[in-house]
Amino acid sequence: MKLLSYIDLFLHYPKHANASILNQFTRQLTTLSSFLPTKPTNLNVLCTKGQLQRALLEMAIQGPEIKFDGYNMLLNECVNKRAVREGQRVHAHMIKTCYLPPVYLSTRLIILYTKCECLGCARHVFDEMRERNVVSWTAMISGYSQRGFASEALHLFVQMLRSDTEPNEFTFATVLSSCTGVSGFELGRQIHSHIFKRNYENHIFVGSSLLDMYAKAGRIHEARGVFECLPERDVVSCTAIISGYAQLGLDEEALGLFCRLQREGMSSNYVTYASLLTALSGLAALDHGKQVHSHVLRCELPFYVVLQNSLIDMYSKCGNLNYARKIFNNMPVRTVISWNAMLVGYSKHGKGVEVVKLFKLMREENKVKPDSVTFLAVLSGCSHGGLEDEGLEMFDEMMNGGDGIEAGIEHYGCVIDLLGRAGRVEEAFALIKKMPFEPTAAIWGSLLGACRVHSNTNIGEFVGCRLLEIEPENAGNYVILSNLYASAGRWEDVRNVRELMMEKAVIKEPGRSWIELDQTIHTFYASDRSHPRREEVFLKARELLVKFKESGYVPDQSCVLYDVDEEQKEKILLGHSEKLALAFGLISTSEGVPLRVIKNLRICVDCHNFAKFVSKVYGRQVSIRDKNRFHHVAGGICSCGDYW
């Protein structure tokens, strides 16, 4: 330690110090080094043996005798070990001995500092360079880009073009990763034109970065165009396009492309599988998900945390919480994302008690700090699980700042939903008035739903009118407000709401439901006639209607948006996509096999009742995942308690 202290004194002494003082430092270092065991003086040998501290001592002793090769050896060793303190000693030695490093060594210093997250030092070296080449510019741009300083990276790239330095494929690939957001995307399109002019578009690195940029901007067709034009594809480019589809919710396209690329011999890594699992989560394709899990195990891929988190998310969203929990329990290391994935899984299934228990375990282990998403999952779980007191207690803890997490608008939304479910509509309304945020459509919608369930017409009317102002294109708001008026017998108001809806030409998003059988996903739309077995399905649906009516089922015609006669309303209701999926499931599976249906929208009251009769009359367990949550129906009773 004493030797290194002398080195630091020597290196940090003023640059223009008296020569006799510097000579005195050198003699002291030489004297002290004589007490050490015999050692080689070749810096190459020292660096090869990993003796960086010895090499630094030798550097200080040799003083101005160190030239390019010595500095190169030392800097390479510092870069490999990410040894920023030692790298600074080498840098200081250059300055003290008045050594002017060539472009190559200055670039190595930039690389060292950027790898060690010392961007200020890297930029200082860059700015002092009398001469720069494409590698120097690219290294500095890469440093900014990798650390999230997108605007600095783009600005530096523009400076590079003005300096008449010609970018190469690595420069383009690097700068494209900084083209995010609206302005960044526009710059990215301009960079694409530069790439095209210089004929770099078909280079694998550049092509992968281009398609990633387009995919992240939601321009998946442009991304696919770039992908299809690549002369060769590697795992990075294949993963980027699959991930692009999955992140945009184009799950079937992601799955279809993955299967095609597998047939073409694509090699996959853990990121590819994590992206595919995201798509399978959206589709709730459990059989496909199990197959991917088995394939990962057979290939003996490293089980990185991101892949395990994706498996937890997939199994949870596919309705198999037991598998999700097994993976969670067997994880050697859990991040906050791991805990959140499991908490959200329990919450979506209405398992409020399990949510609270798992959160307590997280706090007891005290290895990972909860974040805002953690509290959102817990509050949502308490709301869906009917744990009113626990949820309010959790929210009070947040407000007191015990965990250092500030309550956001999403947390307020969960509490308002919780109060509404408990019938405390007035308290929920009061909380909206005093919260420090402008209420969103989602918050007003949650309160309107509570008003409908608990027949609070006064608040519901006000909330409904606010919603129609905020999002006049949302058909669901008209339906709920109309149902609220209908439950109060205010038929004139019902007609006014329906007329307003027609006047504004509000179009309801098409309902879509799907069911997976033998690793094939069968999709149905409202009144769909496209399925190969459509006649069989509609015949079964009509048979179910007759059978269920005999058991007490009464179609809830308030769910029909159109002003038609009762017979036509009944026909429209029977054509709802989830009813067709359930009918198909009954004719395509053996007796007693559970039915799992996924819906793109919130399930309507009538289809919810219909599913309960499927469960009751046929003795089937029915699981329906809609836009908001899971509905597990057994013996005619739903896990949501008929409130969702």
Side-chain angles (χ1 to χ4, degrees), residues 305-322:
V305 173
V306 65
L307 183 54
Q308 292 174 310
N309 291 344
S310 296
L311 282 167
I312 292 170
D313 184 61
M314 183 274 294
Y315 279 121
S316 297
K317 288 180 178 175
C318 289
N320 198 322
L321 284 173
N322 289 334

Side-chain angles (χ1 to χ4, degrees), residues 62 72 86 92 108 151 186 220 230 251 406 450 487 505 521 601:
Q62 292 186 21
N72 186 35
E86 289 77 3
R108 295 302 289 166
S151 60
E186 289 306 316
I220 197 65
L230 288 174
D251 304 316
E406 288 188 19
S487 65
I521 296 170
L601 304 174

Side-chain angles (χ1 to χ4, degrees), residues 175-319:
V175 76
L176 283 169
S177 63
S178 294
C179 296
T180 56
V182 178
S183 57
F185 175 69
E186 289 306 316
L187 278 169
R189 291 178 72 91
Q190 294 177 39
I191 292 170
H192 190 176
S193 67
H194 281 282
I195 290 167
F196 186 78
K197 289 174 186 175
R198 290 165 170 80
N199 203 27
Y200 282 120
E201 193 174 28
N202 293 334
H203 193 283
I204 187 66
F205 296 145
V206 180
S208 297
S209 296
L210 268 174
L211 73 88
D212 188 55
M213 178 197 74
Y214 281 118
K216 285 178 178 174
R219 310 295 283 267
I220 197 65
H221 295 298
E222 286 94 331
R224 184 65 177 265
V226 172
F227 179 77
E228 296 296 349
C229 290
L230 288 174
E232 59 175 305
R233 298 167 186 147
D234 63 359
V235 66
V236 176
S237 55
C238 292
T239 300
I241 191 67
I242 291 168
S243 175
Y245 277 117
Q247 294 301 325
L248 292 171
L250 300 169
D251 304 316
E252 291 181 68
E253 290 84 348
L255 176 58
L257 182 59
F258 175 83
C259 293
R260 186 197 113 186
L261 294 173
Q262 281 283 94
R263 290 192 297 270
E264 293 175 2
M266 173 189 73
S267 62
S268 303
N269 60 19
Y270 76 98
V271 183
T272 318
Y273 286 116
S275 300
L276 177 63
L277 287 168
T278 299
L280 296 179
S281 298
L283 292 169
L286 181 60
D287 292 341
H288 279 92
K290 286 181 177 178
Q291 190 177 20
V292 170
H293 191 182
S294 299
H295 189 73
V296 168
L297 292 171
R298 284 197 304 272
C299 294
E300 297 183 348
L301 281 176
F303 256 69
Y304 294 103
V305 173
V306 65
L307 183 54
Q308 292 174 310
N309 291 344
S310 296
L311 282 167
I312 292 170
D313 184 61
M314 183 274 294
Y315 279 121
S316 297
K317 288 180 178 175
C318 289

Side-chain angles (χ1 to χ4, degrees), residues 421-468:
R421 286 172 184 273
R424 297 161 65 172
V425 177
E426 289 80 7
E427 289 180 58
F429 190 39
L431 181 58
I432 289 177
K433 288 179 179 178
K434 69 179 183 181
M435 70 180 187
F437 305 100
E438 188 68 26
T440 62
I443 287 177
W444 286 122
S446 171
L447 186 57
L448 181 59
C451 291
R452 180 185 63 80
V453 172
H454 298 290
S455 302
N456 193 318
T457 311
N458 292 332
I459 294 177
E461 186 171 22
F462 172 83
V463 173
C465 292
R466 286 287 297 120
L467 269 171
L468 297 188

Side-chain angles (χ1 to χ4, degrees), residues 336-337 340 362 369-376 398 405 411:
V336 69
I337 296 172
N340 291 348
M362 183 183 188
K369 287 189 68 176
D371 62 10
S372 61
V373 178
T374 313
F375 283 96
L376 193 62
M398 283 193 74
I405 306 294
H411 302 98

Side-chain angles (χ1 to χ4, degrees), residues 318-319 349 582 594-598 621-625 630-633:
C318 289
H349 286 264
L582 286 169
L595 301 176
R596 295 186 304 105
V597 174
I598 302 90
Q621 288 186 3
V622 177
S623 172
I624 298 178
R625 192 191 85 184
F630 273 88
H631 299 266
H632 297 289
V633 191

